[in-house]
Amino acid sequence: MESNAYDLLLPLAPWADSEELTACLNSIGAQTLAPREIVVTVDGPLPQPLRAALDTTGTPLRVIEAPCWRGLGPVLADGLRQCHAAIVIRIDADDISLPERCATQVAYLRQHPEVAVVGSQLGEFVESSHQLLGTRTVPLTPREVRRFAQWRNPLNHPTVALRRQAVLAVGNYSDHPGFEDWELWLRLLRRGEAIANLPET
């Protein structure tokens, strides 16, 4: 039987806000299904305020620092190679995950072995996650995602859970600034992989 184990992949820019990072990590600590570890890939040397924020988490953590700035694609590619779990869940340093997020996505991938990537809807906020400004909606079924992907990005990148091996099989993340995720989804779809979204945020 497929394991519930998963890794979290967190790309981190040196200029990220340390308070936002702390809030993000707190939301990971509150997950009903805890990750095996968080793999943090830093796009350059890690500043002390961010290092201090990372030290606040009780979740096992691995930090990979780059010698210089390279951009999101290469940083994500390095991080995914360093993950060991079959399922990898993406988070961003300025995002908050609801407590059931990881358990829900891992369960979905276990129940749908044909799906390589699953995302969700995304609630947008500025200062408080309790005051949403709106929801960034994306299509649900693999068929709808495939059609939608021809014109727009069919996934909210920080919401995705993916099968590590499926992504590596199409060449991993690549260096396409601003389109690192969409370009990857298109390669997966061309290979015949299924991609879906959950209806909830």
Side-chain angles (χ1 to χ4, degrees), residues 163-183:
R163 296 188 193 277
R164 178 177 178 271
Q165 199 53 49
V167 174
L168 293 178
V170 296
N172 206 341
Y173 283 95
S174 59
D175 192 11
H176 283 77
F179 298 95
E180 295 88 356
D181 55 334
W182 192 1
E183 191 270 341

Side-chain angles (χ1 to χ4, degrees), residues 59 62 72 82 95 109 111 114 117 119-120 125-126 140 186 194-195:
T59 304
R62 192 146 43 99
L72 183 59
Q82 294 293 327
D95 289 331
L109 288 177
Q111 293 161 12
E114 76 283 3
V117 183
S120 75
F125 64 92
V126 176
L140 303 181
L186 291 173
I195 296 174

Side-chain angles (χ1 to χ4, degrees), residues 23 27 94-98 123-134 201:
S27 77
D94 60 350
D95 289 331
I96 294 175
S97 296
L98 296 175
E124 297 181 299
F125 64 92
V126 176
E127 293 182 1
S128 171
S129 60
H130 300 292
Q131 297 178 331
L132 295 183
L133 300 178
T201 299

Side-chain angles (χ1 to χ4, degrees), residues 94-106:
D94 60 350
D95 289 331
I96 294 175
S97 296
L98 296 175
E100 297 286 343
R101 179 220 169 155
C102 295
T104 300
Q105 291 188 301
V106 168

